[in-house]
DNA sequence: CAGTGGTCTAGACCACTGT
DNA sequence: CAGTGGTCTAGACCACTGG
């Protein structure tokens, strides 16, 4: 609960969200799973209704509760596995599974970007970029090939690293780099010669590909990555709530 | 686009979000892409700051703008393709691409659910379920096999349909069924004999699989589906914004 | 230090649900 | 019709950014 020295106190609505999350996990709210009204919750916790709504919005985004005008909210799911996307880092993802993340840097090169790369990283033509090729392991078993492209100023921080360093993302974070927004695209590709050699599969074997493009707070691209996973090692999950645009009342 | 007679006027913050979206697409906000302050926008549109914040929250969730305490918001991306997940229906997705969606129902059966299915649909053991197997086409080309499991009360609406009906989801929606929450899981599988025969690929060919589990507003499962796409026909995209937990000021 | 977004409050009105 | 969540307002204070 207490915040580590130097940080800011956690917002009340986040504390409240955490409390409600616990209550849900503990199975309060009975068999039908109906939450108290927003007003009731506000009174119970001594906050305003607005704050309660902020907290509930968090739970809703996480797929834990419903929300619909006219009726109480209802518990949707009690469990909650953290989505791959929210973790933003292979290392954190592995740890959240209780597995041991590993990484071996195969190659790091700096060279001028080609036109496609310039567009992806929003750079001037001919700008320098840093290319990193890594093999990622889970409890020593190879499961993913990561091809990452960094703009010069980020690449400079990477270049000097120990090739056995486990997490580049965490090191960059410590340097104050913030991955504020990321877009992920998932599809299926066939292993090329490098993929096959490093992952120990046949060439043309099917792989799950996740491409990530991350920017900082001001929208400046920080990274563009092409990650290829062996089948059966990851599944990507997404949750979705409708924008409640209900119809008019039926047979009023 | 317009709401059918009897609907409610669109919320102001949604109208505002749409306006801002247009402004972004039109390239207002100059080369640096900095938005006006929330206060300014509120004055310009004659609404309160709270409403502006609601509108901006929508844009942020869509990955269009950043947000960060202390600085103006910044345009992240001008384009905006509607994510596969938001459309919630193969038919709508196809139409949004300007393609012609098609579907052929291969088989519909009603029988008691097995234990796994009962758990997925949260049913009493031995409950009746409805299984539907469909082949989906895009401009007449087969691209996806859909295996959907409905609980009895939904299955009853499906059973009587024309086998050539294009969209089951839309028909259910017209009947007042609301898919309020959906969870998607994406992975890679190999084609079984049925997949291969219907999609015209080899057995064991790699396919992208999307499993969906949808519930209504009260959390009652409406459907559980296993959809398998031929490679190269879809890519799944997700956007991600960090919960701005910045560090303390650096060398203040 | 001025500007800006994040958090919080208190109150109001409305749309929708279920009985 | 009573209860509930959705929308909107007006104002306040704070934390953080950048010059």
């Amino acid at each position: 609960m207490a915040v580590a020295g130097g940080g800011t106190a956690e917002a009340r609505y986040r504390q409240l969200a955490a409390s409600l999350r616990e209550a849900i996990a503990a199975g309060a709210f009975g068999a039908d799973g109906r939450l108290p009204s927003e007003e009731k919750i506000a009174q119970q916790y001594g906050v305003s209704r607005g704050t309660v709504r902020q907290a509930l919005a968090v739970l809703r985004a996480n797929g834990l509760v419903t929300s619909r005008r006219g009726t109480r909210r209802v518990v949707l799911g009690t469990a909650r596995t953290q989505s791959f996307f929210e973790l933003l880092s292979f290392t954190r993802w592995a740890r959240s599974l209780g597995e041991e993340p590993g990484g071996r840097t195969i190659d790091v090169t700096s060279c001028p970007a080609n036109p496609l790369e310039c567009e992806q990283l929003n750079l001037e033509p001919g700008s320098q970029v840093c290319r990193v090729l890594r093999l990622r392991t889970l409890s020593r078993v190879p499961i993913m090939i990561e091809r990452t492209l960094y703009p010069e100023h980020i690449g400079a921080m990477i270049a000097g690293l120990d090739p056995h360093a486990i997490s580049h993302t965490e090191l960059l974070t410590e340097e104050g780099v913030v991955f504020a927004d990321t877009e992920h695209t998932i599809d299926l590709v066939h292993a090329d010669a490098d993929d096959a050699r490093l992952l120990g599969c046949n060439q043309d074997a099917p792989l799950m590909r996740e491409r990530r493009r991350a920017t900082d707070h001001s929208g400046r691209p920080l990274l563009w990555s092409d990650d290829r996973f062996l089948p059966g090692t990851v599944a990507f999950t997404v949750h979705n709530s409708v924008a409640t645009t209900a119809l008019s009342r039926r047979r009023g």
Side-chain angles (χ1 to χ4, degrees), chain A:
Chain A
M1 295 303 158
V3 176
T8 302
E10 198 175 22
R12 279 223 233 179
Y13 78 89
R14 286 191 187 281
Q15 299 173 18
L16 177 52
S19 292
L20 294 172
R21 209 189 289 273
E22 277 177 36
I24 288 172
F29 309 134
D32 57 354
R34 288 188 359 142
L35 298 186
S37 72
E38 297 176 351
E39 203 66 64
K40 273 261 168 33
I41 297 177
Q43 287 165 16
Q44 281 175 22
Y45 287 85
V47 297
S48 76
R49 192 181 152 213
T51 302
V52 173
R53 284 181 61 76
Q54 264 184 295
L56 289 170
V58 173
L59 299 194
R60 194 192 161 183
N62 289 347
L64 283 180
V65 300
T66 61
S67 71
R68 178 195 185 203
R69 187 164 10 205
T71 68
R72 293 270 187 81
R73 292 172 189 268
V74 173
V75 173
L76 259 186
T78 148
R80 169 74 187 140
T81 58
Q82 210 164 4
S83 147
F84 188 88
F85 303 114
E86 293 165 85
L87 297 164
L88 293 177
S89 147
F90 180 85
T91 303
R92 274 197 286 276
W93 171 70
R95 293 210 180 105
S96 80
L97 294 179
E99 299 254 21
E100 185 201 341
R104 183 158 64 89
T105 301
I106 309 291
D107 192 45
V108 178
T109 56
S110 270
C111 57
N114 66 40
L116 174 63
E117 294 170 345
C118 280
E119 191 181 324
Q120 283 298 327
L121 291 181
N122 198 20
L123 297 171
E124 302 298 318
S127 299
Q128 206 74 4
V129 292
C130 175
R131 257 183 269 269
V132 177
L133 174 63
R134 301 182 75 200
L135 174 66
R136 301 305 220 111
T137 60
L138 221 49
S139 302
R140 297 213 184 68
V141 181
I143 70 158
M144 193 258 275
I145 289 290
E146 186 180 275
R147 292 182 176 85
T148 312
L149 193 70
Y150 296 100
E152 176 87 74
H153 68 284
I154 302 288
M157 302 182 192
I158 298 283
L161 293 181
D162 177 352
H164 291 79
I166 296 181
S167 176
H168 287 181
T169 304
E170 289 184 354
L171 289 166
L172 290 173
T173 299
E174 282 167 20
E175 293 294 321
V177 177
V178 179
F179 295 86
D181 283 89
T182 308
E183 191 152 287
H184 310 257
T185 303
I186 299 160
D187 62 1
L188 189 160
V189 294
H190 294 275
D192 65 22
D194 289 338
D195 297 333
R197 179 167 46 82
L198 294 164
L199 288 173
C201 62
N202 292 326
Q203 193 166 342
D204 293 324
L207 301 174
M208 288 278 285
R209 176 168 70 167
E210 178 197 18
R211 282 174 294 180
R212 297 140 48 209
R213 193 167 163 286
T215 69
D216 65 14
H217 288 292
S218 63
R220 212 161 42 131
L222 293 176
L223 150 180
W224 186 42
S225 189
D226 177 311
D227 303 341
R228 302 175 179 198
F229 294 85
L230 284 171
T233 56
V234 275
F236 299 89
T237 72
V238 180
H239 180 85
N240 231 198
S241 298
V242 292
T244 313
T245 308
L247 307 180
S248 24
R249 188 180 192 127
R250 308 175 75 73
R251 63 183 101 265

